[in-house]
Amino acid sequence: MNIVVEGKAYIRNKIEHVCIGIEDGKIAKIAKILPKGEENYKFSREIILPAGIDIHVHFREPGFTHKEDFSTGTISAAFGGICCIFDMPNTKPPTTTKNAILDKIEIAKRKAYIDFGLYAGITDENFENIRDFAKYCNAFKIYLGSTTNALQLRKENLKDFFKNAEEFSDKPIMIHAEDEECLNKHRIVENNLIDHLRARPDVCEKKSIQTVHNCKSKKNRIHICHVSSADSIEFLKEAKGDISIGVTLHHLLFSINIKRKTLPDSFYKVNPPLRKKFDTETLIEHLTNGFIDVLESDHAPHTYEEKNINFDEAPNGIPGVETMYPLFLFWFSKNLISLGQLVSLISEKPARIMGLEKGVISEGKDADLIVVDLKNIQKIKAENLHYKCEWTPYEGMQAIFPSYTLVRGTPIVEEYILVGEKGYGEHIKTVNEEE
Ligand code: NCD
Ligand code: ZN
């Protein structure tokens, strides 16, 4: 074996003491005892878990690299225990054409420390021509309501797009569900988080999810991003079927009455908006009972200066790729979530949705592992994170960061230090891209 990792690992739904033998980046053998490899790691007090997969990040490259880029974004992700990210299309130029997608793949290949996939944005301009570019993206992203630099698809075109997408039905379709007409009706000048919620009420989210549900065909693989309201959850409980659901950590941890606010309201301005306590409680209940499928960060960094202006003009978005897994590892350490649920939400289901050979510690899968010392609880500090934006809404909150993050058997983070290399990250191949 190239590498043997020994310790207590999360395998087949329980923690077992094993040796994990790695060859060519894959888990080749799992056994109680294995002969020594060329490189050997032994962990006694820590646990070994599958690394996380974040299917929703905005790494801002090309076009907005003063906010983040593929290097700073993937370094941050690695420190947060993430082995693979999927980048959203609202960059400049947006990834809505074959060339824009191929250009972004080339940029990311040069700069990424961890593996990556890309979304194609679907708009009123390109939904009829998806044949031109669909095979180059890993999945599709649709914005049904307007938001920061976002592309849009009018809901009148949704049914036709869904029909066109059947041809590429192995590719997931991720939806930002807020109904544009509904948002327009509620538009006001906003001074704070309460106003932002008034301007984007839960009825707009629910309406949009209902539209998606009515327009989709059986073949479409739909994922609703960042579901944020109790009402939407209620509707989906009736209608979910094979639709998958994501939630973000900010919608789980914050409502409009944030208890420990460390920054002005504009820093917590995000779409969909932060809602009421009842919504966060409902989301948490459905996270821990298994109804929600995926934890996604919606890492949407803007600089401190960009956010530190009057509320109405401040851009929407909150950074989170580095803190998502660590905050929930802390939850696990406090028995607020089971390890089975957490691993399912952050590794297994995202891998299944995206069709990856990742997300579980099992022979034949990519050796994407994190090592966690559950006793090493730290307070989150922006200065210790690796974002370009240099702020976090989770300042002072407790978290457990991994001491190691391995991507395909190679340590990217080792003993809490970056050891990975720029350009190591691989593009996740899509089924028919090679032709
Ligand atoms: C996103 C961003 O900044 O790119 N902001 C956000 O509030 N989530 C745009 C988006 O995905 O809505
Ligand atoms: Zn987003």
Side-chain angles (χ1 to χ4, degrees):
M1 297 285 167
N2 308 133
I3 306 167
V4 174
V5 181
E6 181 178 353
K8 288 174 280 177
Y10 183 77
I11 292 171
R12 291 179 288 269
N13 303 321
K14 58 180 197 299
I15 297 277
E16 275 180 67
H17 189 105
V18 290
C19 293
I20 303 170
I22 300 170
E23 245 168 33
D24 301 326
K26 300 248 178 224
I27 298 173
K29 184 109 189 115
I30 301 175
K32 286 266 166 264
I33 300 170
L34 282 178
K36 282 228 170 316
E38 289 158 37
E39 268 180 81
N40 300 279
Y41 296 88
K42 189 168 178 177
F43 301 101
S44 45
R45 57 187 265 141
E46 298 93 340
I47 54 171
I48 302 163
L49 302 175
I53 294 160
D54 192 347
I55 65 171
H56 192 154
V57 304
H58 299 262
F59 281 173
R60 306 298 193 203
E61 188 164 10
F64 305 103
T65 51
H66 64 289
K67 298 177 199 264
E68 200 75 281
D69 64 41
F70 273 104
S71 290
T72 53
T74 53
I75 289 170
S76 305
F79 276 105
I82 304 291
C83 64
C84 178
I85 57 93
F86 289 83
D87 187 64
M88 285 293 166
N90 58 336
T91 40
K92 199 166 79 187
T95 40
T96 51
T97 61
K98 172 182 167 183
N99 283 344
I101 297 168
L102 293 179
D103 286 350
K104 200 193 258 194
I105 292 172
E106 284 314 307
I107 297 170
K109 269 187 184 165
R110 284 199 302 276
K111 297 181 75 171
Y113 286 71
I114 65 165
D115 293 345
F116 65 91
L118 301 182
Y119 290 102
I122 302 301
T123 66
D124 294 327
E125 284 71 48
N126 73 3
F127 78 96
E128 288 171 311
N129 316 320
I130 61 170
R131 279 191 131 273
D132 297 348
F133 59 86
K135 66 179 181 184
Y136 305 101
C137 67
N138 296 84
F140 305 108
K141 173 67 186 282
I142 298 177
Y143 289 92
L144 289 170
S146 50
T147 172
T148 322
N149 303 315
L151 331 153
Q152 244 183 290
L153 183 72
R154 279 187 302 132
K155 64 181 169 189
E156 291 75 19
N157 292 330
L158 194 58
K159 217 175 192 154
D160 284 341
F161 166 71
F162 281 158
K163 241 188 159 15
N164 296 343
E166 282 187 17
E167 190 183 341
F168 301 91
S169 56
D170 55 319
K171 305 215 174 184
I173 303 169
M174 326 307 268
I175 314 263
H176 181 124
E178 286 188 282
D179 185 282
E180 181 66 4
E181 260 170 47
C182 181
L183 296 178
N184 283 336
K185 264 193 232 151
H186 291 87
R187 195 148 290 168
I188 49 170
V189 175
E190 301 175 19
N191 292 309
N192 51 41
L193 290 170
I194 298 171
D195 291 345
H196 193 52
L197 175 55
R198 278 199 197 112
R200 306 181 81 106
D202 50 8
V203 58
C204 298
E205 183 178 81
K206 183 170 147 188
K207 224 181 202 161
S208 188
I209 294 174
Q210 284 171 330
T211 307
V212 171
H213 182 257
N214 293 338
C215 293
K216 76 184 267 294
S217 82
K218 273 213 164 57
K219 273 191 175 170
N220 298 136
R221 294 181 48 216
I222 308 287
H223 175 82
I224 311 284
C225 301
H226 42 50
V227 172
S228 60
S229 79
D231 256 15
S232 300
I233 294 284
E234 275 317 305
F235 171 75
L236 284 161
K237 270 163 104 171
E238 299 287 311
K240 186 173 183 247
D242 52 1
I243 293 178
S244 61
I245 302 178
V247 291
T248 70
L249 65 167
H250 46 269
H251 290 114
L252 289 161
L253 299 183
F254 298 137
S255 63
I256 45 174
N257 304 307
I258 301 162
K259 270 201 222 108
R260 282 186 300 178
K261 204 167 350 141
T262 54
L263 293 159
D265 270 21
S266 55
F267 285 81
Y268 303 86
K269 186 180 175 191
V270 66
N271 294 333
L274 302 184
R275 299 192 193 273
K276 298 193 173 149
K277 194 142 194 290
F278 179 67
D279 296 291
T280 57
E281 285 167 358
T282 306
L283 292 180
I284 289 171
E285 182 192 331
H286 289 83
L287 185 85
T288 45
N289 75 12
F291 182 72
I292 286 163
D293 300 283
V294 170
L295 266 170
E296 54 194 44
S297 72
D298 192 6
H299 177 76
H302 302 283
T303 65
Y304 190 93
E305 291 70 31
E306 286 167 337
K307 282 293 240 184
N308 196 29
I309 59 171
N310 74 70
F311 190 93
D312 202 51
E313 282 169 55
N316 297 285
I318 289 179
V321 70
E322 189 166 349
T323 49
M324 177 166 70
Y325 210 165
L327 277 162
F328 283 97
L329 285 167
F330 176 72
W331 274 34
F332 163 63
S333 78
K334 293 285 168 222
N335 285 322
L336 297 172
I337 191 165
S338 73
L339 198 50
Q341 279 301 343
L342 179 54
V343 168
S344 167
L345 284 158
I346 211 157
S347 303
E348 291 172 7
K349 288 258 182 91
R352 213 174 302 154
I353 288 171
M354 288 299 181
L356 311 177
E357 290 298 322
K358 293 181 175 292
V360 279
I361 302 180
S362 161
E363 288 173 8
K365 300 284 182 185
D366 286 356
D368 300 324
L369 307 172
I370 62 169
V371 177
V372 177
D373 177 356
L374 290 170
K375 297 246 156 58
N376 192 0
I377 297 169
Q378 294 174 34
K379 285 208 165 146
I380 293 174
K381 284 195 187 138
E383 67 191 47
N384 295 336
L385 301 177
H386 300 82
Y387 307 149
K388 246 187 210 178
C389 69
E390 296 185 326
W391 64 274
T392 172
Y394 308 106
E395 189 78 28
M397 293 172 82
Q398 290 179 300
I400 300 175
F401 289 87
S403 53
Y404 282 72
T405 300
L406 271 67
V407 178
R408 287 175 283 103
T410 300
I412 308 302
V413 171
E414 181 167 339
E415 294 182 359
Y416 302 102
I417 289 169
L418 181 72
V419 295
E421 278 175 23
K422 196 169 167 165
Y424 173 78
E426 276 182 9
H427 177 228
I428 304 289
K429 291 275 176 302
T430 62
V431 183
N432 38 13
E433 189 193 335
E434 302 294 354
E435 305 156 25

